[in-house]
Amino acid sequence: MQTNTASQLKPYSLRKKQVHTLILTYKFRFITSSLLADFRSISQKNSNKSLKILLEHGYLDKNFEKSYIIEGKGPRYYLTRRSIAYLRETTSIDPRALRVMYKNGALSTTFIEHSLEVMKFYLQLRTLYPGDF
């Protein structure tokens, strides 16, 4: 996993949907391309492009193990220091809640999978009860 440093990153102006992706990642702590595609009702190809741009500009990082290939899993994306600072400056999210996000890169696989299951459950509820979520 290669993490960009602040000195390597060029200024990049985020679009509204990209900010929404960061907020969504904050809410669920981790996100995958397929879950983002389901959430937005877009193709997984477009979802991959969106996540790749945020990854390249240092707003997301990914957790990926070789075993994911065999299991048919994709990378698990999470917020970086850059995105946490951006959200702190531009949103009304409680800074104390954002501070917890700094530890995302060191969390266990079990915790990551649990976070993804919470998002899957949310998407199921949203499908069952349209307009309520």
Side-chain angles (χ1 to χ4, degrees):
M1 179 176 5
Q2 181 181 359
T3 304
N4 296 321
T5 63
S7 63
Q8 295 173 319
L9 298 172
K10 295 179 183 176
Y12 181 74
S13 181
L14 291 172
R15 296 188 174 127
K16 188 176 180 179
K17 285 189 178 182
Q18 291 171 322
V19 173
H20 183 261
T21 299
L22 295 180
I23 292 170
L24 186 65
T25 306
Y26 158 74
K27 288 180 180 179
F28 293 102
R29 285 191 88 156
F30 292 89
I31 193 168
T32 65
S33 176
S34 60
L35 289 174
L36 180 60
D38 288 347
F39 184 88
R40 286 202 182 142
S41 300
I42 60 174
S43 71
Q44 193 161 345
K45 182 178 178 181
N46 287 336
S47 176
N48 280 328
K49 285 181 186 178
S50 298
L51 292 169
K52 183 179 178 187
I53 290 168
L54 290 169
L55 183 69
E56 288 172 351
H57 290 284
Y59 287 97
L60 291 178
D61 205 346
K62 66 181 176 180
N63 175 288
F64 186 78
E65 298 175 12
K66 290 181 181 180
S67 64
Y68 289 178
I69 296 170
I70 296 168
E71 298 169 7
K73 297 178 181 179
R76 281 76 172 102
Y77 295 91
Y78 59 93
L79 299 177
T80 62
R81 291 183 176 277
R82 185 177 196 183
S83 57
I84 294 167
Y86 178 86
L87 292 173
R88 183 180 299 118
E89 294 168 8
T90 61
T91 68
S92 60
I93 297 172
D94 186 345
R96 292 173 295 177
L98 284 169
R99 197 172 312 128
V100 175
M101 299 294 131
Y102 287 113
K103 297 182 182 199
N104 285 346
L107 293 171
S108 71
T109 303
T110 304
F111 185 89
I112 295 169
E113 295 304 318
H114 173 75
S115 297
L116 295 173
E117 288 298 321
V118 169
M119 186 171 184
K120 287 177 191 173
F121 185 67
Y122 166 80
L123 291 171
Q124 289 173 347
L125 285 174
R126 193 176 77 166
T127 301
L128 290 171
Y129 302 100
D132 290 341
F133 290 93

